[in-house]
Amino acid sequence: SDPRADYRNLPPGKHTLKVKAIGEAQVWSDVFEYRFTIRSPWWQTTWAYLGYALVIGLLGYWLYQFLLNRRLDKEEARRLRELDEVKTQLYTNITHEFRTPLTIIKGMNQKIIESPEKWLREGTKMISRNSDQLLRLINQILDLRKLESGKMKAHMVQADVIPFLKYLLESFHSYAQQKDIQIHFDSKPDECIMDFDPEKLQQIISNLMSNAIKFTKRGGQVDLIVEKVKHSLNTSSTFDPRPSSFDLLIRVKDTGPGIPPDQLPRIFDRFYQVDDSATREGEGTGIGLAFTKALV
């Protein structure tokens, strides 16, 4: 009497309605099929999901960029603070380094003015010596800049390096005697003919020996040790075309207080000093070891 049927809340997708009927003769009819599709709402379509993914991706990218920029801003602020601290430390260190010779020069100049007959000979020598110390410092700073810019060249000579190293060590005898420090030269090879730059090797040894003597207590000992070690080639090859190749190993050893292990990774940083306090015992700018490493 009411040939209708309601099917509510059908999910999106493809559907098939099958119907068959029976009449008064009690005979079933064939099955009638009706296929239809219920489309998804626009917010559940493939394009909608792609849009959601795009929006989420853009939000994620924006958040990443925001956090990255924030971190970069913090890093930049930290770097600027560190740079400012380095500049301040540099000025402090240079002040310490320049103060002593300048004070000596000024004081001796005043003594010469007041009593030239008494201080002229000794005073001019002292002024000259301290002026040379200031000039060496300035030249070292300029040379470090040349090294970093690649403008400094090596001028090699081929000679026996052992007598040259002995000569360099002897120049520190008077400085060591002032502090009652013994210095020794220990060389395993009696001679070593090799290519080296005398001027730069002198700067390397002078920096290391000066540091060692400066920080060694009175009555201590400083050793300059030289030995040959087997040349270390690329380990990926077992063939050594130079069967008699060696490296020259030069070590400066002292009985000073040493450097704390946690400070060792930074000792070659320019302007860095283990003791950077205003009351530290040794003067210095913190460029000596950086310059030495660059020369090596």
Side-chain angles (χ1 to χ4, degrees):
S1 61
D2 189 10
R4 292 185 304 173
D6 289 336
Y7 299 92
R8 306 280 181 175
N9 300 321
L10 291 177
K14 294 181 178 180
H15 299 269
T16 302
L17 174 68
K18 297 182 178 183
V19 178
K20 62 179 179 178
I22 189 172
E24 293 181 355
Q26 300 297 307
V27 177
W28 287 99
S29 67
D30 295 333
V31 176
F32 169 79
E33 292 186 358
Y34 172 66
R35 292 183 174 86
F36 60 96
T37 300
I38 298 179
R39 295 180 178 178
S40 301
W42 67 267
W43 60 85
Q44 290 182 349
T45 61
T46 302
W47 289 107
Y49 288 126
L50 289 176
Y52 301 152
L54 180 62
V55 171
I56 293 173
L58 290 175
L59 287 175
Y61 179 75
W62 175 83
L63 181 61
Y64 169 76
Q65 288 292 329
F66 175 76
L67 295 177
L68 179 62
N69 290 334
R70 240 180 114 185
R71 189 175 66 181
L72 290 176
D73 289 342
K74 288 182 179 179
E75 288 293 322
E76 180 68 13
R78 183 184 62 80
R79 191 186 68 82
L80 290 175
R81 284 198 304 270
E82 289 181 352
L83 182 61
D84 187 59
E85 291 173 2
V86 167
K87 288 180 180 178
T88 302
Q89 191 61 53
L90 169 61
Y91 298 145
T92 302
N93 292 344
I94 289 182
T95 300
H96 276 281
E97 183 73 6
F98 283 6
R99 181 180 59 187
T100 300
L102 287 174
T103 301
I104 293 174
I105 292 172
K106 183 177 180 181
M108 188 53 64
N109 183 64
Q110 187 63 34
K111 287 183 178 181
I112 293 174
I113 293 174
E114 294 173 354
S115 304
E117 67 285 349
K118 179 180 179 182
W119 293 104
L120 183 60
R121 181 181 297 274
E122 180 184 349
T124 51
K125 290 181 180 179
M126 188 172 293
I127 289 174
S128 177
R129 187 165 59 251
N130 283 275
S131 298
D132 289 341
Q133 182 179 343
L134 289 174
L135 185 60
R136 277 195 303 272
L137 173 64
I138 294 171
N139 287 336
Q140 203 172 66
I141 294 174
L142 294 176
D143 286 344
L144 182 60
R145 179 60 183 166
K146 283 183 182 179
L147 275 169
E148 291 178 340
S149 61
K151 294 181 179 179
M152 181 176 284
K153 305 299 181 183
H155 302 285
M156 297 297 205
V157 299
Q158 189 175 83
D160 188 354
V161 72
I162 304 302
F164 182 70
L165 291 172
K166 286 182 181 178
Y167 163 75
L168 294 179
L169 185 69
E170 289 171 359
S171 65
F172 286 93
H173 273 295
S174 59
Y175 181 28
Q177 286 176 353
Q178 292 175 9
K179 296 187 64 176
D180 191 24
I181 292 174
Q182 294 184 352
I183 57 177
H184 299 286
F185 183 77
D186 181 13
S187 176
K188 299 296 173 62
D190 295 328
E191 69 172 16
C192 182
I193 307 298
M194 62 175 290
D195 295 330
F196 64 95
D197 185 325
E199 180 185 352
K200 293 175 180 59
L201 184 56
Q202 179 181 6
Q203 290 173 310
I204 291 169
I205 299 300
S206 296
N207 271 317
L208 296 177
M209 288 297 298
S210 297
N211 267 10
I213 295 174
K214 178 165 60 176
F215 292 104
T216 298
K217 300 294 184 181
R218 184 173 294 276
Q221 179 175 322
V222 177
D223 298 325
L224 181 63
I225 305 166
V226 184
E227 59 183 316
K228 281 184 176 181
V229 295
K230 184 67 176 176
H231 187 82
S232 55
L233 294 173
N234 190 342
T235 55
S236 62
S237 173
T238 58
F239 175 70
D240 186 351
R242 299 167 297 172
S244 300
S245 59
F246 290 87
D247 286 331
L248 188 71
L249 178 63
I250 302 175
R251 290 185 290 150
V252 176
K253 181 180 178 182
D254 63 70
T255 57
I259 299 173
D262 61 323
Q263 303 292 334
L264 288 175
R266 298 190 59 190
I267 62 174
F268 292 112
D269 293 350
R270 199 195 322 178
F271 308 128
Y272 175 76
Q273 290 185 320
V274 174
D275 181 7
D276 59 2
S277 63
T279 57
R280 65 184 186 273
E281 295 183 11
E283 300 285 346
T285 58
I287 67 170
L289 286 180
F291 181 59
T292 300
K293 183 181 179 183
L295 284 174
V296 172

